[in-house]
Amino acid sequence: MAKDGAGGGPDWNGLLKWSLAHGSDGTNPPRALSEEDRKWFMEAMQANTVDVVGRMKEIAQVMKTPDDVLQSHGVTPENIEDMLDELQEHVESIDMANDLHSIGGLDPLLGYLKNSNAGIRAKAAEVVSTVVQNNPKSQQLVMESNGLEPLLTNFRSDPSTTARTKALGAISSLIRNNQSGLAAFRLGNGHAALKDALGSDDARLQRKALHLTQYLLNNKADRNVATEIGLPNQLIHLASSDDSGVREAALGGLLELARDKTPAARNALPDQDKLKDVLKSRIEGISTMDADDLQAAREERQLVDSLWKECYGEPSSLREKGLVVLPGEDAPQQPPPDVAGKMFEPPLRAWAAPRPAPAEDSDSGSGKKDPPLLLGP
């Protein structure tokens, strides 16, 4: 029996044939393994097994190594980004994410948020986001390591828009369902940073800022702060954006404000005339869409109609025209779609889950590279 494939690696085709030949269909007892077959089988399986904890320890050691030493060994910033890509794959497992601190990898990862290279800062924030997302234990560990501070700094003032956007994504994951993180965000003047991001001309940064804004508007204290600093007027302005994702997220935030009927929220939407003009404009735009665009604008149609009804006590003209629910569509649930919820869907943390291909606007490279060679002893 051949032991190795043509390239010197495991003979996986041979392994499959052997498994089929030696397997049991339930009617006959399985054949006993010879010692030679058992040894070959174990070698074939172990050859493709990765010691993930061991590999994470190696990555942690590289992250602790001074930049000048890395440079002297020919390690480039691109190599570091590739290494962080690999680390992100490992920490998609929630157990591996929680182990990152115990093996000494969390603090140096947070240190990379202050790296002089914008690509490394952005990639480090992306890894932090994966570590803490829907993970209370790692959220607490990052807070105890003062990880929110550099994230807020990068979000507020990083010269790289990509690094700002990735920092905001990590902040969103860190403070969601995390009271200590949310309190620290407030103390760190995070609402003002959100207002600044909403005024950006970058649609990706605006979308992420709107998603976090809508989440915060579920809380009375944050609604009050948002109203005080003028966020409702920014939402009204962004509801007429050319970017459909920005429009939907802005409409979702306005709907959260409109649903608050408490006396304290009476002035949450002060410019009602401007809001009505924006909604009329969106109704007109939706009414002239072709069939394909109408399908794509399903959430926007429902949000516009729901917001109109909340503000003016009657259905919008979209409902009269039959454009809220098209033929063949299910009636919208109440409340309408949670646009912000998309931002916080849990990542696939299944072991060795395949990674999705990068989107067109992804900050990552177009192809996966081999991890850099690590430093020797």
Side-chain angles (χ1 to χ4, degrees):
M1 180 186 296
K3 299 297 188 295
D4 296 310
D11 179 14
W12 295 110
N13 287 330
L15 178 59
L16 175 61
K17 292 177 181 178
W18 181 91
S19 298
L20 293 174
H22 289 72
S24 171
D25 60 3
T27 59
N28 298 311
R31 292 175 54 183
L33 293 178
S34 69
E35 188 59 33
E36 180 185 7
D37 284 341
R38 187 187 301 276
K39 181 179 179 182
W40 173 80
F41 179 82
M42 294 305 297
E43 289 177 351
M45 295 303 295
Q46 291 174 2
N48 204 44
T49 299
V50 176
D51 177 7
V52 175
V53 174
R55 179 60 181 163
M56 286 171 60
K57 288 180 179 179
E58 293 176 344
I59 293 173
Q61 190 60 45
V62 173
M63 291 193 294
K64 296 175 184 177
T65 304
D67 287 345
D68 57 342
V69 176
L70 293 175
Q71 292 171 8
S72 70
H73 283 75
V75 178
T76 66
E78 290 74 21
N79 294 145
I80 298 298
E81 290 183 51
D82 290 340
M83 182 188 71
L84 291 173
D85 267 329
E86 180 190 349
L87 179 60
Q88 186 174 9
E89 290 184 3
H90 296 322
V91 297
E92 281 192 346
S93 160
I94 196 167
D95 291 333
M96 294 299 103
N98 290 334
D99 282 345
L100 185 62
H101 174 73
S102 62
I103 65 172
L106 182 59
D107 286 341
L109 172 63
L110 297 176
Y112 270 166
L113 295 171
K114 303 176 183 178
N115 193 275
S116 60
N117 182 277
I120 292 176
R121 293 195 302 274
K123 179 55 65 176
E126 199 170 356
V127 179
V128 172
S129 181
T130 300
V131 168
V132 300
Q133 195 168 34
N134 298 296
N135 187 347
K137 180 177 179 180
S138 283
Q139 286 178 336
Q140 179 182 354
L141 290 171
V142 170
M143 292 302 300
E144 290 174 353
S145 295
N146 202 28
L148 181 60
E149 182 178 343
L151 288 171
L152 280 172
T153 297
N154 291 358
F155 172 41
R156 280 193 296 257
S157 58
D158 199 299
S160 164
T161 302
T162 297
R164 286 186 71 192
T165 305
K166 297 298 184 182
L168 175 55
I171 291 169
S172 299
S173 297
L174 179 59
I175 69 174
R176 182 166 174 86
N177 298 320
N178 175 6
Q179 289 304 312
S180 64
L182 188 54
F185 176 81
R186 293 166 182 154
L187 289 173
N189 208 17
H191 294 88
L194 274 178
K195 182 180 180 180
D196 184 59
L198 292 175
S200 164
D201 58 1
D202 185 271
R204 285 180 299 173
L205 181 58
Q206 287 178 331
R207 286 194 296 269
K208 284 190 180 291
L210 284 164
H211 291 147
L212 181 54
T213 297
Q214 187 177 348
Y215 170 71
L216 293 172
L217 290 176
N218 284 288
N219 182 282
K220 179 180 178 181
D222 293 301
R223 282 199 304 273
N224 292 339
V225 174
T227 301
E228 289 172 4
I229 65 175
L231 285 187
N233 286 334
Q234 281 189 295
L235 296 180
I236 293 173
H237 172 72
L238 293 173
S240 58
S241 168
D242 292 334
D243 184 275
S244 61
V246 170
R247 287 198 308 271
E248 291 175 3
L251 289 166
L254 290 168
L255 186 57
E256 289 289 343
L257 291 171
R259 282 182 173 151
D260 186 353
K261 304 301 184 183
T262 61
R266 190 170 300 165
N267 297 320
L269 294 173
D271 198 344
Q272 288 284 340
D273 291 338
K274 175 64 174 176
L275 175 60
K276 197 166 192 175
D277 288 342
V278 168
L279 291 178
K280 285 181 177 179
S281 176
R282 291 314 311 145
I283 290 171
E284 181 180 349
I286 292 170
S287 300
T288 59
M289 288 180 177
D290 60 27
D292 289 340
D293 288 341
L294 280 172
Q295 289 287 347
R298 179 177 181 178
E299 292 185 2
E300 183 179 3
R301 290 185 274 120
Q302 296 174 10
L303 286 165
V304 167
D305 181 69
S306 296
L307 183 54
W308 184 280
K309 186 175 181 180
E310 286 289 343
C311 291
Y312 310 115
E314 61 183 13
S316 72
S317 60
L318 289 177
R319 191 167 293 276
E320 298 173 6
K321 298 173 183 178
L323 295 178
V324 177
V325 181
L326 301 180
E329 289 183 345
D330 295 330
Q333 297 180 348
Q334 296 298 330
D338 175 15
V339 179
K342 296 177 181 177
M343 176 71 180
F344 303 109
E345 289 177 353
L348 293 178
R349 290 189 178 274
W351 182 254
R355 302 284 292 171
E360 288 185 5
D361 65 350
S362 170
D363 305 310
S364 304
S366 58
K368 188 68 178 176
K369 303 174 183 177
D370 292 329
L373 294 175
L374 298 182
L375 301 179

